[in-house]
Amino acid sequence: MRFEQAGRRPGFWAWFLQRLSGAALVVLLLYHLWVQHLRHAGESITFSLEVRRFLSGLYQAVDVLLLAAVIFHGLNGVRNVAIDLGARGKGLWLVSCVLWAAGLVLLVWGLDALWPFVAGKPFFLTLNPPGV
Amino acid sequence: MSERALKRRRWLAVRGYETGIWAYLLHRLSGLFLVGYLFLHIAVISTAASKNGRVNFNQTLGFLQQPFFVVLDVLLIGVVLYHAANGIRVILFDMGFLIRRQRTVFWTFMAGAAVVWGYVLARLMPLVIGG
């Protein structure tokens, strides 16, 4: 009940989702770093190694969720900085629009990198499909 | 409290509070830094992986695995660990836990982050020194 009331206050969802995505990132990002840099530290990172890593459904899911969570968390964080620096009203709206645009670009760009490994075929920007 | 200490405290009291102001500032700065790195990371990996295919990916990633870049990786992970540890602390306080022990909790989390960073150093520095 208190949660529902809080949900109608302006800024509640930006605040709540920042905490939720942050908590998710602790797990997702540390798993990403562990797989890519620590589990087999020193293993040379190559295209075929990445194809092998992405055969894991868990790693696929983690990286796609990580992409979405990190874009939201990072850009909403920039918006929080803008608010702390005094952005309100029209200025804040403009900042939000720029950040939404940047977020969409990052999402498409990031999916373009992940898609060949996850789906086994190129995303629409991709020129060369991966092989094992 | 001396006049000078009072002055210093007032200077630190941004937006009406002083406890954890450095934690707050570092959180913001590390966050902005990490957003910058996010753009770079997505641009580099996406360009290497999907635009130019396997040959270019191996070339780019080979270049970025030289000892100099491993040192940057270790420093980057340090920034991530600070931001993560301080972020968990912020969530705990938002949920109402341990608010009366802010300073202790902060340094406990910093110690935890330092231990994890020590593990990262132990794993990755051999690639720099022994490479």
mmCIF file of all heavy atoms in Angstrom, chain B residues 42-85:
data_model
loop_
_atom_site.group_PDB
_atom_site.id
_atom_site.type_symbol
_atom_site.label_atom_id
_atom_site.label_comp_id
_atom_site.label_asym_id
_atom_site.label_seq_id
_atom_site.Cartn_x
_atom_site.Cartn_y
_atom_site.Cartn_z
ATOM 1 N N ILE B 42 31.443 -0.326 -25.803
ATOM 2 C CA ILE B 42 30.467 -0.783 -26.789
ATOM 3 C C ILE B 42 30.948 -0.435 -28.198
ATOM 4 O O ILE B 42 30.875 -1.253 -29.116
ATOM 5 C CB ILE B 42 29.075 -0.192 -26.499
ATOM 6 C CG1 ILE B 42 28.502 -0.861 -25.242
ATOM 7 C CG2 ILE B 42 28.136 -0.388 -27.686
ATOM 8 C CD1 ILE B 42 27.137 -0.365 -24.833
ATOM 9 N N ALA B 43 31.495 0.770 -28.360
ATOM 10 C CA ALA B 43 31.965 1.183 -29.687
ATOM 11 C C ALA B 43 33.086 0.275 -30.176
ATOM 12 O O ALA B 43 33.059 -0.222 -31.298
ATOM 13 C CB ALA B 43 32.443 2.636 -29.637
ATOM 14 N N VAL B 44 34.076 0.028 -29.318
ATOM 15 C CA VAL B 44 35.245 -0.763 -29.717
ATOM 16 C C VAL B 44 34.859 -2.212 -30.007
ATOM 17 O O VAL B 44 35.181 -2.753 -31.063
ATOM 18 C CB VAL B 44 36.334 -0.709 -28.627
ATOM 19 C CG1 VAL B 44 37.417 -1.747 -28.894
ATOM 20 C CG2 VAL B 44 36.943 0.685 -28.566
ATOM 21 N N ILE B 45 34.115 -2.830 -29.076
ATOM 22 C CA ILE B 45 33.775 -4.254 -29.237
ATOM 23 C C ILE B 45 32.827 -4.440 -30.419
ATOM 24 O O ILE B 45 32.978 -5.362 -31.224
ATOM 25 C CB ILE B 45 33.139 -4.821 -27.943
ATOM 26 C CG1 ILE B 45 34.132 -4.752 -26.781
ATOM 27 C CG2 ILE B 45 32.678 -6.253 -28.153
ATOM 28 C CD1 ILE B 45 35.334 -5.652 -26.916
ATOM 29 N N SER B 46 31.841 -3.541 -30.541
ATOM 30 C CA SER B 46 30.865 -3.700 -31.613
ATOM 31 C C SER B 46 31.526 -3.512 -32.977
ATOM 32 O O SER B 46 31.267 -4.270 -33.910
ATOM 33 C CB SER B 46 29.722 -2.698 -31.434
ATOM 34 O OG SER B 46 28.657 -3.023 -32.292
ATOM 35 N N THR B 47 32.384 -2.499 -33.077
ATOM 36 C CA THR B 47 33.075 -2.264 -34.347
ATOM 37 C C THR B 47 33.949 -3.462 -34.700
ATOM 38 O O THR B 47 33.939 -3.947 -35.829
ATOM 39 C CB THR B 47 33.949 -0.998 -34.261
ATOM 40 O OG1 THR B 47 33.129 0.082 -33.846
ATOM 41 C CG2 THR B 47 34.572 -0.668 -35.599
ATOM 42 N N ALA B 48 34.693 -3.943 -33.696
ATOM 43 C CA ALA B 48 35.606 -5.054 -33.951
ATOM 44 C C ALA B 48 34.841 -6.343 -34.271
ATOM 45 O O ALA B 48 35.212 -7.086 -35.174
ATOM 46 C CB ALA B 48 36.512 -5.269 -32.746
ATOM 47 N N ALA B 49 33.754 -6.604 -33.525
ATOM 48 C CA ALA B 49 33.080 -7.902 -33.639
ATOM 49 C C ALA B 49 32.183 -8.007 -34.857
ATOM 50 O O ALA B 49 32.143 -9.039 -35.517
ATOM 51 C CB ALA B 49 32.264 -8.180 -32.384
ATOM 52 N N SER B 50 31.440 -6.950 -35.139
ATOM 53 C CA SER B 50 30.393 -7.153 -36.126
ATOM 54 C C SER B 50 30.633 -6.438 -37.449
ATOM 55 O O SER B 50 30.096 -6.830 -38.461
ATOM 56 C CB SER B 50 29.048 -6.740 -35.549
ATOM 57 O OG SER B 50 29.154 -5.507 -34.919
ATOM 58 N N LYS B 51 31.440 -5.402 -37.447
ATOM 59 C CA LYS B 51 31.614 -4.659 -38.698
ATOM 60 C C LYS B 51 32.681 -5.300 -39.572
ATOM 61 O O LYS B 51 32.558 -5.364 -40.775
ATOM 62 C CB LYS B 51 31.982 -3.201 -38.385
ATOM 63 C CG LYS B 51 30.752 -2.347 -38.175
ATOM 64 C CD LYS B 51 30.486 -1.528 -39.409
ATOM 65 C CE LYS B 51 29.098 -0.936 -39.379
ATOM 66 N NZ LYS B 51 29.093 0.493 -39.406
ATOM 67 N N ASN B 52 33.768 -5.726 -38.943
ATOM 68 C CA ASN B 52 34.900 -6.181 -39.741
ATOM 69 C C ASN B 52 35.228 -7.652 -39.564
ATOM 70 O O ASN B 52 36.214 -8.132 -40.092
ATOM 71 C CB ASN B 52 36.139 -5.335 -39.411
ATOM 72 C CG ASN B 52 35.869 -3.864 -39.608
ATOM 73 O OD1 ASN B 52 35.507 -3.442 -40.688
ATOM 74 N ND2 ASN B 52 36.002 -3.096 -38.549
ATOM 75 N N GLY B 53 34.385 -8.329 -38.755
ATOM 76 C CA GLY B 53 34.526 -9.777 -38.668
ATOM 77 C C GLY B 53 35.717 -10.259 -37.873
ATOM 78 O O GLY B 53 36.373 -9.506 -37.163
ATOM 79 N N ARG B 54 35.979 -11.533 -38.020
ATOM 80 C CA ARG B 54 36.906 -12.269 -37.185
ATOM 81 C C ARG B 54 38.341 -11.721 -37.217
ATOM 82 O O ARG B 54 38.974 -11.559 -36.167
ATOM 83 C CB ARG B 54 36.854 -13.726 -37.637
ATOM 84 C CG ARG B 54 38.051 -14.568 -37.362
ATOM 85 C CD ARG B 54 37.989 -15.819 -38.214
ATOM 86 N NE ARG B 54 36.802 -16.619 -37.934
ATOM 87 C CZ ARG B 54 36.738 -17.538 -36.983
ATOM 88 N NH1 ARG B 54 37.776 -17.771 -36.225
ATOM 89 N NH2 ARG B 54 35.650 -18.228 -36.802
ATOM 90 N N VAL B 55 38.856 -11.391 -38.381
ATOM 91 C CA VAL B 55 40.246 -10.945 -38.492
ATOM 92 C C VAL B 55 40.451 -9.660 -37.708
ATOM 93 O O VAL B 55 41.371 -9.526 -36.900
ATOM 94 C CB VAL B 55 40.640 -10.742 -39.974
ATOM 95 C CG1 VAL B 55 42.051 -10.176 -40.066
ATOM 96 C CG2 VAL B 55 40.527 -12.054 -40.730
ATOM 97 N N ASN B 56 39.550 -8.706 -37.927
ATOM 98 C CA ASN B 56 39.673 -7.428 -37.245
ATOM 99 C C ASN B 56 39.480 -7.579 -35.751
ATOM 100 O O ASN B 56 40.161 -6.916 -34.958
ATOM 101 C CB ASN B 56 38.647 -6.455 -37.816
ATOM 102 C CG ASN B 56 39.048 -5.028 -37.559
ATOM 103 O OD1 ASN B 56 38.765 -4.494 -36.505
ATOM 104 N ND2 ASN B 56 39.760 -4.445 -38.501
ATOM 105 N N PHE B 57 38.545 -8.450 -35.331
ATOM 106 C CA PHE B 57 38.314 -8.678 -33.900
ATOM 107 C C PHE B 57 39.589 -9.183 -33.243
ATOM 108 O O PHE B 57 40.012 -8.675 -32.211
ATOM 109 C CB PHE B 57 37.176 -9.697 -33.710
ATOM 110 C CG PHE B 57 36.768 -9.905 -32.282
ATOM 111 C CD1 PHE B 57 35.879 -9.039 -31.672
ATOM 112 C CD2 PHE B 57 37.291 -10.958 -31.553
ATOM 113 C CE1 PHE B 57 35.508 -9.226 -30.343
ATOM 114 C CE2 PHE B 57 36.920 -11.150 -30.230
ATOM 115 C CZ PHE B 57 36.031 -10.279 -29.636
ATOM 116 N N ASN B 58 40.223 -10.190 -33.850
ATOM 117 C CA ASN B 58 41.440 -10.755 -33.265
ATOM 118 C C ASN B 58 42.572 -9.735 -33.230
ATOM 119 O O ASN B 58 43.344 -9.679 -32.277
ATOM 120 C CB ASN B 58 41.872 -12.001 -34.039
ATOM 121 C CG ASN B 58 40.904 -13.153 -33.818
ATOM 122 O OD1 ASN B 58 40.068 -13.102 -32.918
ATOM 123 N ND2 ASN B 58 41.017 -14.179 -34.642
ATOM 124 N N GLN B 59 42.658 -8.897 -34.263
ATOM 125 C CA GLN B 59 43.683 -7.844 -34.288
ATOM 126 C C GLN B 59 43.458 -6.846 -33.158
ATOM 127 O O GLN B 59 44.362 -6.554 -32.371
ATOM 128 C CB GLN B 59 43.608 -7.096 -35.616
ATOM 129 C CG GLN B 59 44.694 -7.507 -36.602
ATOM 130 C CD GLN B 59 44.470 -6.884 -37.971
ATOM 131 O OE1 GLN B 59 43.687 -5.934 -38.099
ATOM 132 N NE2 GLN B 59 45.130 -7.426 -38.975
ATOM 133 N N THR B 60 42.209 -6.321 -33.087
ATOM 134 C CA THR B 60 41.888 -5.314 -32.068
ATOM 135 C C THR B 60 42.089 -5.876 -30.659
ATOM 136 O O THR B 60 42.729 -5.248 -29.814
ATOM 137 C CB THR B 60 40.424 -4.841 -32.222
ATOM 138 O OG1 THR B 60 40.225 -4.432 -33.572
ATOM 139 C CG2 THR B 60 40.129 -3.686 -31.293
ATOM 140 N N LEU B 61 41.536 -7.083 -30.415
ATOM 141 C CA LEU B 61 41.616 -7.670 -29.074
ATOM 142 C C LEU B 61 43.050 -8.058 -28.716
ATOM 143 O O LEU B 61 43.451 -7.993 -27.555
ATOM 144 C CB LEU B 61 40.670 -8.877 -28.955
ATOM 145 C CG LEU B 61 39.242 -8.583 -28.486
ATOM 146 C CD1 LEU B 61 39.215 -8.226 -27.008
ATOM 147 C CD2 LEU B 61 38.580 -7.458 -29.268
ATOM 148 N N GLY B 62 43.833 -8.450 -29.720
ATOM 149 C CA GLY B 62 45.243 -8.745 -29.467
ATOM 150 C C GLY B 62 45.974 -7.490 -29.011
ATOM 151 O O GLY B 62 46.731 -7.505 -28.030
ATOM 152 N N PHE B 63 45.699 -6.383 -29.691
ATOM 153 C CA PHE B 63 46.311 -5.099 -29.335
ATOM 154 C C PHE B 63 45.930 -4.696 -27.910
ATOM 155 O O PHE B 63 46.773 -4.255 -27.128
ATOM 156 C CB PHE B 63 45.841 -4.037 -30.334
ATOM 157 C CG PHE B 63 46.375 -2.659 -30.063
ATOM 158 C CD1 PHE B 63 47.692 -2.341 -30.351
ATOM 159 C CD2 PHE B 63 45.557 -1.684 -29.514
ATOM 160 C CE1 PHE B 63 48.186 -1.071 -30.100
ATOM 161 C CE2 PHE B 63 46.050 -0.411 -29.259
ATOM 162 C CZ PHE B 63 47.370 -0.101 -29.555
ATOM 163 N N LEU B 64 44.634 -4.907 -27.543
ATOM 164 C CA LEU B 64 44.128 -4.448 -26.248
ATOM 165 C C LEU B 64 44.495 -5.386 -25.097
ATOM 166 O O LEU B 64 44.124 -5.130 -23.957
ATOM 167 C CB LEU B 64 42.607 -4.273 -26.311
ATOM 168 C CG LEU B 64 42.123 -3.144 -27.233
ATOM 169 C CD1 LEU B 64 40.608 -3.148 -27.325
ATOM 170 C CD2 LEU B 64 42.624 -1.799 -26.751
ATOM 171 N N GLN B 65 45.190 -6.502 -25.389
ATOM 172 C CA GLN B 65 45.589 -7.411 -24.312
ATOM 173 C C GLN B 65 47.059 -7.279 -23.953
ATOM 174 O O GLN B 65 47.610 -8.087 -23.198
ATOM 175 C CB GLN B 65 45.265 -8.860 -24.705
ATOM 176 C CG GLN B 65 43.774 -9.149 -24.605
ATOM 177 C CD GLN B 65 43.399 -10.486 -25.209
ATOM 178 O OE1 GLN B 65 43.358 -11.489 -24.525
ATOM 179 N NE2 GLN B 65 43.139 -10.496 -26.507
ATOM 180 N N GLN B 66 47.723 -6.220 -24.490
ATOM 181 C CA GLN B 66 49.106 -5.954 -24.109
ATOM 182 C C GLN B 66 49.152 -5.514 -22.643
ATOM 183 O O GLN B 66 48.167 -4.978 -22.134
ATOM 184 C CB GLN B 66 49.679 -4.854 -25.005
ATOM 185 C CG GLN B 66 49.743 -5.250 -26.464
ATOM 186 C CD GLN B 66 50.122 -4.070 -27.336
ATOM 187 O OE1 GLN B 66 51.261 -3.945 -27.723
ATOM 188 N NE2 GLN B 66 49.170 -3.186 -27.599
ATOM 189 N N PRO B 67 50.305 -5.746 -21.981
ATOM 190 C CA PRO B 67 50.431 -5.438 -20.552
ATOM 191 C C PRO B 67 49.926 -4.051 -20.155
ATOM 192 O O PRO B 67 49.239 -3.906 -19.137
ATOM 193 C CB PRO B 67 51.936 -5.552 -20.305
ATOM 194 C CG PRO B 67 52.389 -6.570 -21.299
ATOM 195 C CD PRO B 67 51.527 -6.377 -22.516
ATOM 196 N N PHE B 68 50.215 -3.031 -20.973
ATOM 197 C CA PHE B 68 49.768 -1.674 -20.648
ATOM 198 C C PHE B 68 48.248 -1.625 -20.452
ATOM 199 O O PHE B 68 47.745 -1.004 -19.510
ATOM 200 C CB PHE B 68 50.186 -0.714 -21.763
ATOM 201 C CG PHE B 68 49.589 0.656 -21.642
ATOM 202 C CD1 PHE B 68 50.029 1.525 -20.651
ATOM 203 C CD2 PHE B 68 48.564 1.073 -22.494
ATOM 204 C CE1 PHE B 68 49.470 2.795 -20.525
ATOM 205 C CE2 PHE B 68 48.002 2.334 -22.372
ATOM 206 C CZ PHE B 68 48.461 3.198 -21.390
ATOM 207 N N PHE B 69 47.511 -2.304 -21.347
ATOM 208 C CA PHE B 69 46.051 -2.272 -21.259
ATOM 209 C C PHE B 69 45.527 -3.135 -20.112
ATOM 210 O O PHE B 69 44.465 -2.861 -19.568
ATOM 211 C CB PHE B 69 45.425 -2.697 -22.590
ATOM 212 C CG PHE B 69 45.612 -1.673 -23.676
ATOM 213 C CD1 PHE B 69 46.587 -1.839 -24.646
ATOM 214 C CD2 PHE B 69 44.839 -0.521 -23.699
ATOM 215 C CE1 PHE B 69 46.775 -0.876 -25.639
ATOM 216 C CE2 PHE B 69 45.019 0.442 -24.673
ATOM 217 C CZ PHE B 69 45.994 0.262 -25.652
ATOM 218 N N VAL B 70 46.294 -4.193 -19.747
ATOM 219 C CA VAL B 70 45.901 -5.004 -18.593
ATOM 220 C C VAL B 70 45.964 -4.149 -17.321
ATOM 221 O O VAL B 70 45.086 -4.242 -16.453
ATOM 222 C CB VAL B 70 46.785 -6.264 -18.464
ATOM 223 C CG1 VAL B 70 46.425 -7.040 -17.202
ATOM 224 C CG2 VAL B 70 46.622 -7.157 -19.688
ATOM 225 N N VAL B 71 46.988 -3.275 -17.233
ATOM 226 C CA VAL B 71 47.074 -2.357 -16.086
ATOM 227 C C VAL B 71 45.847 -1.457 -16.052
ATOM 228 O O VAL B 71 45.236 -1.253 -14.992
ATOM 229 C CB VAL B 71 48.368 -1.505 -16.156
ATOM 230 C CG1 VAL B 71 48.368 -0.446 -15.070
ATOM 231 C CG2 VAL B 71 49.597 -2.393 -16.036
ATOM 232 N N LEU B 72 45.434 -0.935 -17.230
ATOM 233 C CA LEU B 72 44.221 -0.101 -17.281
ATOM 234 C C LEU B 72 42.987 -0.906 -16.869
ATOM 235 O O LEU B 72 42.108 -0.395 -16.176
ATOM 236 C CB LEU B 72 44.027 0.476 -18.687
ATOM 237 C CG LEU B 72 45.059 1.502 -19.170
ATOM 238 C CD1 LEU B 72 44.608 2.114 -20.495
ATOM 239 C CD2 LEU B 72 45.289 2.601 -18.149
ATOM 240 N N ASP B 73 42.923 -2.183 -17.294
ATOM 241 C CA ASP B 73 41.817 -3.071 -16.895
ATOM 242 C C ASP B 73 41.724 -3.170 -15.378
ATOM 243 O O ASP B 73 40.635 -3.062 -14.798
ATOM 244 C CB ASP B 73 42.024 -4.489 -17.451
ATOM 245 C CG ASP B 73 41.716 -4.586 -18.938
ATOM 246 O OD1 ASP B 73 41.076 -3.659 -19.464
ATOM 247 O OD2 ASP B 73 42.113 -5.593 -19.561
ATOM 248 N N VAL B 74 42.899 -3.388 -14.743
ATOM 249 C CA VAL B 74 42.933 -3.543 -13.289
ATOM 250 C C VAL B 74 42.438 -2.268 -12.602
ATOM 251 O O VAL B 74 41.638 -2.321 -11.659
ATOM 252 C CB VAL B 74 44.363 -3.902 -12.818
ATOM 253 C CG1 VAL B 74 44.480 -3.808 -11.304
ATOM 254 C CG2 VAL B 74 44.742 -5.299 -13.288
ATOM 255 N N LEU B 75 42.879 -1.104 -13.112
ATOM 256 C CA LEU B 75 42.438 0.169 -12.531
ATOM 257 C C LEU B 75 40.933 0.361 -12.751
ATOM 258 O O LEU B 75 40.210 0.794 -11.839
ATOM 259 C CB LEU B 75 43.209 1.333 -13.158
ATOM 260 C CG LEU B 75 44.714 1.370 -12.824
ATOM 261 C CD1 LEU B 75 45.407 2.480 -13.603
ATOM 262 C CD2 LEU B 75 44.923 1.558 -11.325
ATOM 263 N N LEU B 76 40.458 0.022 -13.951
ATOM 264 C CA LEU B 76 39.023 0.130 -14.265
ATOM 265 C C LEU B 76 38.200 -0.729 -13.309
ATOM 266 O O LEU B 76 37.181 -0.280 -12.765
ATOM 267 C CB LEU B 76 38.778 -0.308 -15.711
ATOM 268 C CG LEU B 76 37.314 -0.356 -16.151
ATOM 269 C CD1 LEU B 76 36.763 1.051 -16.329
ATOM 270 C CD2 LEU B 76 37.164 -1.143 -17.440
ATOM 271 N N ILE B 77 38.644 -1.970 -13.075
ATOM 272 C CA ILE B 77 37.923 -2.864 -12.165
ATOM 273 C C ILE B 77 37.922 -2.275 -10.755
ATOM 274 O O ILE B 77 36.935 -2.387 -10.030
ATOM 275 C CB ILE B 77 38.532 -4.287 -12.206
ATOM 276 C CG1 ILE B 77 38.267 -4.925 -13.576
ATOM 277 C CG2 ILE B 77 37.937 -5.166 -11.100
ATOM 278 C CD1 ILE B 77 38.912 -6.284 -13.780
ATOM 279 N N GLY B 78 39.006 -1.589 -10.382
ATOM 280 C CA GLY B 78 39.047 -0.900 -9.088
ATOM 281 C C GLY B 78 37.949 0.150 -8.976
ATOM 282 O O GLY B 78 37.259 0.239 -7.957
ATOM 283 N N VAL B 79 37.779 0.944 -10.033
ATOM 284 C CA VAL B 79 36.720 1.964 -10.046
ATOM 285 C C VAL B 79 35.346 1.304 -9.947
ATOM 286 O O VAL B 79 34.480 1.743 -9.183
ATOM 287 C CB VAL B 79 36.815 2.834 -11.325
ATOM 288 C CG1 VAL B 79 35.666 3.831 -11.389
ATOM 289 C CG2 VAL B 79 38.140 3.577 -11.376
ATOM 290 N N VAL B 80 35.147 0.214 -10.704
ATOM 291 C CA VAL B 80 33.879 -0.525 -10.668
ATOM 292 C C VAL B 80 33.595 -1.028 -9.253
ATOM 293 O O VAL B 80 32.473 -0.901 -8.749
ATOM 294 C CB VAL B 80 33.911 -1.722 -11.652
ATOM 295 C CG1 VAL B 80 32.737 -2.663 -11.403
ATOM 296 C CG2 VAL B 80 33.894 -1.226 -13.092
ATOM 297 N N LEU B 81 34.637 -1.593 -8.599
ATOM 298 C CA LEU B 81 34.444 -2.164 -7.260
ATOM 299 C C LEU B 81 34.096 -1.073 -6.242
ATOM 300 O O LEU B 81 33.248 -1.280 -5.373
ATOM 301 C CB LEU B 81 35.699 -2.926 -6.826
ATOM 302 C CG LEU B 81 35.918 -4.258 -7.552
ATOM 303 C CD1 LEU B 81 37.270 -4.860 -7.175
ATOM 304 C CD2 LEU B 81 34.798 -5.246 -7.264
ATOM 305 N N TYR B 82 34.736 0.117 -6.363
ATOM 306 C CA TYR B 82 34.366 1.222 -5.460
ATOM 307 C C TYR B 82 32.896 1.582 -5.661
ATOM 308 O O TYR B 82 32.129 1.691 -4.696
ATOM 309 C CB TYR B 82 35.235 2.469 -5.689
ATOM 310 C CG TYR B 82 34.653 3.637 -4.937
ATOM 311 C CD1 TYR B 82 34.839 3.744 -3.560
ATOM 312 C CD2 TYR B 82 33.811 4.555 -5.559
ATOM 313 C CE1 TYR B 82 34.239 4.753 -2.837
ATOM 314 C CE2 TYR B 82 33.201 5.569 -4.849
ATOM 315 C CZ TYR B 82 33.421 5.659 -3.488
ATOM 316 O OH TYR B 82 32.805 6.643 -2.773
ATOM 317 N N HIS B 83 32.510 1.775 -6.935
ATOM 318 C CA HIS B 83 31.144 2.203 -7.255
ATOM 319 C C HIS B 83 30.123 1.162 -6.778
ATOM 320 O O HIS B 83 29.071 1.515 -6.240
ATOM 321 C CB HIS B 83 31.019 2.452 -8.760
ATOM 322 C CG HIS B 83 29.812 3.228 -9.161
ATOM 323 N ND1 HIS B 83 29.772 4.612 -9.155
ATOM 324 C CD2 HIS B 83 28.592 2.816 -9.586
ATOM 325 C CE1 HIS B 83 28.566 5.012 -9.551
ATOM 326 N NE2 HIS B 83 27.824 3.954 -9.827
ATOM 327 N N ALA B 84 30.462 -0.126 -6.973
ATOM 328 C CA ALA B 84 29.557 -1.203 -6.556
ATOM 329 C C ALA B 84 29.419 -1.252 -5.033
ATOM 330 O O ALA B 84 28.308 -1.304 -4.499
ATOM 331 C CB ALA B 84 30.046 -2.544 -7.089
ATOM 332 N N ALA B 85 30.570 -1.221 -4.320
ATOM 333 C CA ALA B 85 30.537 -1.328 -2.855
ATOM 334 C C ALA B 85 29.789 -0.141 -2.247
ATOM 335 O O ALA B 85 28.924 -0.305 -1.382
ATOM 336 C CB ALA B 85 31.962 -1.399 -2.303
#
